[in-house]
Amino acid sequence: MNGRIRCPALERRIVSAEDAARLIEDGMTVGVSGFTPSGCPKAVPAALARQATEEGRHVRIALLSGASTGGEIDTLLGGAGVIARRAPYITSEALRDVINAGGTAYRDGHLGSMARDVRGGRYGKLDLAIVEACAITEDGGIVPTTAVGCAQTYVRQAERVIVELNLTQPAELEGLHDLYAAADPPCCPPIPLTEVSQRIGRTAIPCDPDKIAAVVITEIPEKPRPLAPENADSRAIAGHLVAFLDAERAAGRPFAGRVPLQSGVGSVANAVLEGLMDSDFSHLCFYSEVMQDGVLDLIDAGKADFCSATSLSLSAAGMGRLLGNLDRYRDRIVLRDSEISNSPEVIRRLGVVAMNTAVEADLYGNVNSSHICGTRIFNGIGGSGDYARSAGLSVFMTASTARGGRISSIVPMVTHVDHTEHDVDVLVTEQGLADLRGLSPKERAERILACCAHPDYRPALREYFDAACAACGPVQTPHLLDRCFALHQRFLQRGTMREPSGDGD
Amino acid sequence: MNGRIRCPALERRIVSAEDAARLIEDGMTVGVSGFTPSGCPKAVPAALARQATEEGRHVRIALLSGASTGGEIDTLLGGAGVIARRAPYITSEALRDVINAGGTAYRDGHLGSMARDVRGGRYGKLDLAIVEACAITEDGGIVPTTAVGCAQTYVRQAERVIVELNLTQPAELEGLHDLYAAADPPCCPPIPLTEVSQRIGRTAIPCDPDKIAAVVITEIPEKPRPLAPENADSRAIAGHLVAFLDAERAAGRPFAGRVPLQSGVGSVANAVLEGLMDSDFSHLCFYSEVMQDGVLDLIDAGKADFCSATSLSLSAAGMGRLLGNLDRYRDRIVLRDSEISNSPEVIRRLGVVAMNTAVEADLYGNVNSSHICGTRIFNGIGGSGDYARSAGLSVFMTASTARGGRISSIVPMVTHVDHTEHDVDVLVTEQGLADLRGLSPKERAERILACCAHPDYRPALREYFDAACAACGPVQTPHLLDRCFALHQRFLQRGTMREPSGDGD
């Protein structure tokens, strides 16, 4: 283990994952480290799932995370019926199905507020924290691995802590983290972060060794998500956006090229990074939740100087490239607590250009990030609200259609609002880009119709808008409450938002 | 004028309001001081309205403010057709009618972001700032009056400035303001405010005297809004809320009684302050947009220590009481720029308990603050989003019915979302209080049905929820897209949301 456990007392607490999992009891509230599959505990959740399914052990817990988790948690534990309550974010299809079947009470929320909410008692007493580590320091300090999330707060708040020491995570990750011990009202100083690359904390999570109930040695490798493939739509969206940022920079607008970018995961986000590779932007920096492969490319190409994130959300190839060359990247990357990476205070101060993905957007610029047809949760709001509300420029991106053209992502009224009209500056589809800044709702509708809607759906959307204006008169936000969801209803009934063709289709 | 103009060069710039109004030209963008009717310029807007209506002078301008304005601006100028574009907030009935008739393009937005957005160029070049002052200092510094709003940014950004020196505003207001020169990305330090009573700025808005194109001496008195009357509903809401805050304090929750309160204007807000008078809370403090009469009462009763606001939104009696006893109140009150009073950074740091009013709320906790039946703008989002998103505790309040019971304020789905389910911790009506923290959407629905809905509408809401659960299955957020606005549609058709009675009503 080569100095992985530097606190001798803790060597005596090494137990098997099976034994550690038995510390998790029915009714407990458990917090886990990590953000996306990165940095999450693996062995103990997998063992608990086994106990639940194979031994019929009845355990139902509230599970709190940083964001989505690895398959051992949401998919295995969720699928085994162990997760009674869940916050603040998921992406697992298995757990999504459980939630939408009523098996898990899911409270999705802003990722940047989660640690504060837990400290403030909103999720009750935290019984247990399970944290993946690449090392334990002399005084019990826990060195996280490829992501942080809410690990620091969960360790601080939990009665007991289980550390999963993952030997497949390189010990050289130590030093990459900057862990800031956030304070709470009423005595709360400003977060002293004013530059993306600044360090304001420590490299390990402080923890009284007596609180560490078990140390589990594991060699379960992380299963990174494969890189989402780009396609013609995502490349077109990226093209529109990079051209817009370039024009902003040319116009002397204060942000472009001088303030940090936030960029998520997925096909469109990857295409944007690709687009930046082909642009003449330089000295880019990122203040983001996740770091993707494209950022490594930008660093390697000398186009990006720095990336601050809470998670290395890299493909297997990207993770290999980073971990194999940590010395080269070490002074260009920092991993922070998610309450810092997603801090509205810091995001606002830095003037971040936020780029998030919409499920659907409406004519007036409201965005749905979370619900399919208003009812079935997809993922959750995640960090998009942390960024969009406080950003210097808030961009939402989506292909104008989904499911082979059977869904229009531009709709008369979104069926669920995650981002209000006040928080959406720019909307981009493969059709084009609508700059909505300073516009009134009806002006936004004209621009979104002209720039973003798919031509196949533009006539129906135009007809709705004209009919709403005619029926309501020139009110602030014309709508027809009996027809605003007609496209969605048609989709629910017929599997497509398209108008029936004349021949009886 | 007794030392009201201490910069001699500016005495030569004194002109009549009529002459100053002629500096405002067609197509200009004009920013005004103030927040609510307080602290707004009066003489020049009134003169311009006269020129437009009586002389037929054609002037159409974009008008930017801190929040709502005095009658001389939104009502007179708006009614005269002078306001082509407007941001970020209104309450004038006259201007509301113009907006809903398509005569003014209105962009409502977060009040705390307005100054930053103007500095960032979102509203184009600012031609003119018109600022009410109680004095001008030796070096041209402008001392605001009963409110600040965005005055500092408008003065900084405008090409030229008109100062309205209002002799009815006491010179003793000087010293009450704390004006912080906010910086912008990418070089932006933390806002150093960590206590409600702290002073971090100056007492006058810095201004190059050469930029001051005109000084208008006026004696138009401010017309404070009358105190909104309390009623049984607002008293019941206040009762539920004060009891809840008391229980939170008893439970050792970190906020109650130790962190500041935000409280708006209106019947319910006044009743809450009244309720606090009768409670055993002490050492209260306020971090708010506006200061109302009730805060003076709490200070006088020794129950409140301090109030930070951007506006003295007092009744005539309250204003008289404050201005007549400024020495007594001087070290208990500070007036800040609205980007500080509404700063998400500071609100989050202080852990403010935010109390805002809803137009309607839905079963899942989404709140509409701005639109009647989704189409007609009422006021706008105002500062509610600045507070609700960042608050330590976010409370929304509304009577459970409106218009004599013909409208239910609890509806299946709100027709416009200003505050998403993620930002609403507590919902209160006169029926009761629903603590929504940590709950999933379906759990929230049960609690809102049980605690907040009016008994007359509870059966219809219950029937909707049950039908949605039956039709959708136990998805995250059950909804029936063909029926979710049925109550609103009935109201639009029949003037009431009530079910038709059997006898043909």
Side-chain angles (χ1 to χ4, degrees):
Chain A
M1 295 204 295
N2 292 330
R4 295 265 200 163
I5 303 182
R6 305 203 292 267
C7 176
L10 290 178
E11 292 196 351
R12 294 190 296 274
R13 307 247 171 90
I14 296 174
V15 299
S16 69
E18 290 288 335
D19 284 349
R22 289 187 199 282
L23 297 174
I24 303 171
E25 293 170 18
D26 190 44
M28 277 189 168
T29 298
V30 178
V32 296
S33 65
F35 194 104
T36 73
S38 299
C40 291
K42 301 163 181 72
V44 176
L48 179 60
R50 254 194 322 272
Q51 292 167 7
T53 49
E54 294 174 15
E55 299 173 18
R57 218 191 129 201
H58 179 79
V59 187
R60 296 267 293 162
I61 62 172
L63 196 131
L64 312 178
S65 62
S68 61
T69 66
E72 293 84 359
I73 300 176
D74 281 342
T75 298
L76 283 187
L77 271 187
V82 170
I83 303 180
R85 306 189 67 80
R86 183 78 176 85
Y89 190 69
I90 61 129
T91 59
S92 156
E93 279 180 42
L95 183 57
R96 187 185 300 151
D97 289 345
V98 174
I99 290 168
N100 283 320
T104 295
Y106 173 44
R107 202 282 181 195
D108 89 301
H110 304 295
L111 303 185
S113 300
M114 186 63 190
R116 174 184 80 157
D117 288 348
V118 168
R119 291 197 301 272
R122 289 190 180 214
Y123 294 91
K125 180 171 73 79
L126 195 64
D127 298 290
L128 203 59
I130 316 179
V131 181
E132 184 177 83
C134 66
I136 302 175
T137 66
E138 290 72 6
D139 53 357
I142 301 167
V143 182
T145 60
T146 47
V148 182
C150 300
Q152 181 164 211
T153 284
Y154 295 161
V155 166
R156 200 201 293 185
Q157 297 297 119
E159 273 193 358
R160 297 202 287 175
V161 175
I162 299 173
V163 178
E164 277 197 17
L165 190 71
N166 192 331
L167 301 180
T168 72
Q169 298 277 23
E172 291 73 22
L173 284 170
E174 190 170 351
L176 205 65
H177 310 92
D178 182 60
L179 304 161
Y180 177 74
D184 291 304
C187 298
C188 184
I191 300 169
L193 194 68
T194 58
E195 302 238 350
V196 168
S197 60
Q198 194 181 338
R199 288 187 159 269
I200 60 173
R202 326 186 188 201
T203 58
I205 298 168
C207 183
D208 178 353
D210 286 344
K211 204 159 136 172
I212 299 180
V215 176
V216 175
I217 312 294
T218 162
E219 299 193 47
I220 303 177
E222 207 146 78
K223 287 178 211 68
R225 287 193 286 213
L227 207 60
E230 291 175 35
N231 55 37
D233 280 352
S234 62
R235 274 189 292 269
I237 292 169
H240 297 310
L241 182 53
V242 172
F244 171 78
L245 295 176
D246 213 27
E248 286 288 300
R249 180 179 55 168
R253 297 270 155 65
F255 70 83
R258 284 164 56 212
V259 299
L261 307 175
Q262 173 241 349
S263 146
V265 290
S267 173
V268 177
N270 292 335
V272 170
L273 296 177
E274 188 81 24
L276 289 168
M277 273 295 278
D278 298 334
S279 74
D280 58 355
F281 278 96
S282 60
H283 298 295
L284 290 166
C285 62
F286 292 85
Y287 195 81
S288 204
E289 300 173 335
V290 295
M291 170 166 168
Q292 318 104 286
D293 290 51
V295 174
L296 285 183
D297 296 334
L298 287 164
I299 290 176
D300 287 349
K303 283 181 166 289
D305 293 339
F306 203 88
C307 180
S308 164
T310 189
S311 170
L312 300 172
S313 195
L314 299 163
S315 71
M319 195 68 88
R321 183 165 143 209
L322 172 68
L323 299 182
N325 300 277
L326 256 179
D327 280 349
R328 179 145 57 94
Y329 294 113
R330 186 176 288 284
D331 58 351
R332 302 199 174 275
I333 296 171
V334 66
L335 291 182
R336 307 184 187 277
D337 309 271
S338 52
E339 78 178 302
I340 301 298
S341 69
N342 287 42
S343 158
E345 171 179 339
V346 177
I347 291 163
R348 190 169 286 257
R349 181 180 302 145
L350 297 175
V352 171
V353 176
M355 302 183 286
N356 287 289
T357 308
V359 168
E360 61 180 6
D362 70 25
L363 291 176
Y364 301 111
N366 301 282
V367 164
N368 174 5
S369 300
S370 64
H371 280 68
I372 306 299
C373 287
T375 62
R376 298 181 70 82
I377 193 83
F378 190 64
N379 295 335
I381 192 168
S384 54
D386 299 324
Y387 282 91
R389 173 73 58 92
S390 290
L393 185 81
S394 167
V395 178
F396 279 89
M397 313 177 290
T398 177
S400 71
T401 61
R403 301 228 189 149
R406 286 176 287 130
I407 290 177
S408 174
S409 309
I410 308 297
V411 293
M413 180 188 269
V414 290
T415 52
H416 188 271
V417 175
D418 293 288
H419 307 288
T420 72
E421 50 171 322
H422 317 91
D423 296 337
V424 180
D425 294 331
V426 170
L427 185 65
V428 201
T429 69
E430 83 289 351
Q431 298 294 318
L433 181 148
D435 180 357
L436 307 174
R437 291 175 292 179
L439 298 186
S440 69
K442 292 196 293 288
E443 293 169 332
R444 280 180 231 140
E446 291 291 357
R447 201 163 288 187
I448 290 171
L449 273 169
C451 303
C452 299
H454 192 280
D456 289 357
Y457 287 102
R458 206 172 285 158
L461 294 166
R462 160 59 65 189
E463 192 276 326
Y464 175 85
F465 181 58
D466 290 346
C469 289
C472 302
V475 296
Q476 176 79 350
T477 309
H479 264 310
L480 299 167
L481 296 184
D482 58 343
R483 281 183 49 195
C484 52
F485 296 139
L487 290 179
H488 298 90
Q489 288 170 262
R490 188 184 293 156
F491 175 77
L492 290 172
Q493 283 156 14
R494 303 169 46 91
T496 179
M497 288 185 178
R498 285 187 194 281
E499 276 188 79
S501 61
D503 55 10
D505 167 45
Chain B
M1 295 201 292
N2 292 329
R4 296 265 200 162
I5 304 181
R6 304 204 291 269
C7 177
L10 291 177
E11 293 196 352
R12 292 190 298 273
R13 307 248 171 90
I14 296 174
V15 300
S16 68
E18 290 288 334
D19 284 350
R22 289 188 198 280
L23 297 174
I24 304 170
E25 293 170 19
D26 190 45
M28 277 188 169
T29 298
V30 177
V32 295
S33 65
F35 194 105
T36 73
S38 299
C40 290
K42 301 164 181 74
V44 176
L48 179 60
R50 255 194 322 271
Q51 291 167 6
T53 50
E54 293 174 17
E55 299 174 18
R57 219 189 128 201
H58 179 79
V59 187
R60 297 267 293 161
I61 63 173
L63 196 129
L64 312 178
S65 61
S68 61
T69 66
E72 294 84 358
I73 299 176
D74 281 343
T75 298
L76 284 187
L77 271 187
V82 171
I83 304 180
R85 304 189 69 80
R86 183 77 177 85
Y89 189 69
I90 62 128
T91 58
S92 155
E93 279 180 42
L95 183 57
R96 187 185 300 151
D97 289 345
V98 174
I99 290 168
N100 283 319
T104 295
Y106 173 44
R107 203 281 180 194
D108 90 300
H110 304 296
L111 303 185
S113 300
M114 186 63 189
R116 174 184 82 156
D117 288 348
V118 169
R119 292 196 301 271
R122 288 189 181 216
Y123 293 91
K125 180 171 73 77
L126 194 64
D127 298 291
L128 202 58
I130 316 178
V131 182
E132 185 178 81
C134 66
I136 302 175
T137 66
E138 290 73 4
D139 54 357
I142 300 167
V143 182
T145 59
T146 47
V148 183
C150 300
Q152 182 165 207
T153 284
Y154 294 161
V155 165
R156 200 200 292 184
Q157 297 297 117
E159 275 193 356
R160 296 203 287 175
V161 176
I162 298 173
V163 178
E164 277 197 16
L165 190 71
N166 191 330
L167 301 181
T168 72
Q169 298 277 23
E172 291 74 20
L173 285 170
E174 189 168 354
L176 205 65
H177 310 91
D178 182 60
L179 305 161
Y180 178 74
D184 291 303
C187 299
C188 184
I191 300 168
L193 194 67
T194 57
E195 302 236 352
V196 168
S197 60
Q198 195 181 339
R199 289 187 159 267
I200 59 173
R202 328 188 187 199
T203 57
I205 298 167
C207 183
D208 178 353
D210 286 345
K211 207 161 134 171
I212 298 179
V215 176
V216 174
I217 312 293
T218 161
E219 298 192 46
I220 303 178
E222 208 146 75
K223 287 177 210 69
R225 287 194 286 213
L227 208 58
E230 290 175 34
N231 55 37
D233 281 352
S234 62
R235 273 189 293 267
I237 292 169
H240 297 310
L241 182 53
V242 172
F244 171 79
L245 294 177
D246 213 26
E248 285 289 299
R249 180 180 56 169
R253 297 272 157 63
F255 69 83
R258 284 166 55 215
V259 299
L261 307 174
Q262 173 241 347
S263 147
V265 290
S267 173
V268 178
N270 290 336
V272 171
L273 295 177
E274 187 81 24
L276 289 169
M277 273 295 279
D278 298 334
S279 74
D280 59 354
F281 278 96
S282 59
H283 297 296
L284 290 166
C285 63
F286 292 85
Y287 195 80
S288 205
E289 300 172 334
V290 295
M291 171 167 168
Q292 318 103 286
D293 291 50
V295 174
L296 285 183
D297 296 334
L298 287 164
I299 290 175
D300 287 347
K303 284 182 166 290
D305 293 338
F306 203 88
C307 179
S308 164
T310 190
S311 170
L312 300 173
S313 195
L314 299 164
S315 70
M319 196 67 90
R321 183 166 143 209
L322 172 68
L323 299 183
N325 300 277
L326 254 180
D327 280 348
R328 179 145 58 94
Y329 294 113
R330 186 176 289 284
D331 58 351
R332 302 200 173 274
I333 295 170
V334 64
L335 291 181
R336 306 184 187 279
D337 310 88
S338 52
E339 76 178 305
I340 301 299
S341 68
N342 287 41
S343 158
E345 170 179 339
V346 176
I347 291 163
R348 189 169 286 259
R349 181 179 303 146
L350 297 176
V352 172
V353 175
M355 302 184 284
N356 287 289
T357 308
V359 168
E360 60 180 7
D362 69 26
L363 292 176
Y364 301 111
N366 300 284
V367 165
N368 174 6
S369 301
S370 63
H371 279 68
I372 307 299
C373 288
T375 61
R376 298 181 70 82
I377 191 86
F378 190 64
N379 295 335
I381 193 169
S384 54
D386 298 325
Y387 283 91
R389 172 73 58 92
S390 290
L393 185 80
S394 165
V395 178
F396 279 90
M397 313 177 290
T398 177
S400 70
T401 61
R403 300 228 192 151
R406 285 176 288 130
I407 291 178
S408 173
S409 309
I410 308 298
V411 293
M413 180 187 269
V414 290
T415 51
H416 188 270
V417 176
D418 293 287
H419 307 288
T420 72
E421 49 170 326
H422 318 90
D423 296 337
V424 180
D425 294 330
V426 170
L427 185 64
V428 200
T429 69
E430 82 289 349
Q431 297 294 317
L433 180 147
D435 180 357
L436 308 173
R437 290 175 293 178
L439 299 187
S440 70
K442 291 197 292 287
E443 293 170 331
R444 278 180 233 140
E446 290 291 357
R447 200 163 289 186
I448 291 171
L449 273 169
C451 303
C452 299
H454 192 279
D456 289 356
Y457 287 101
R458 207 173 282 158
L461 295 165
R462 161 59 64 189
E463 192 277 327
Y464 175 85
F465 181 59
D466 290 346
C469 289
C472 301
V475 295
Q476 176 80 350
T477 309
H479 264 309
L480 298 167
L481 296 185
D482 58 342
R483 281 182 48 193
C484 52
F485 297 140
L487 290 181
H488 298 90
Q489 288 169 265
R490 188 185 292 156
F491 175 78
L492 290 172
Q493 282 156 16
R494 303 170 46 92
T496 179
M497 288 186 178
R498 288 187 190 279
E499 277 188 78
S501 62
D503 56 9
D505 167 45

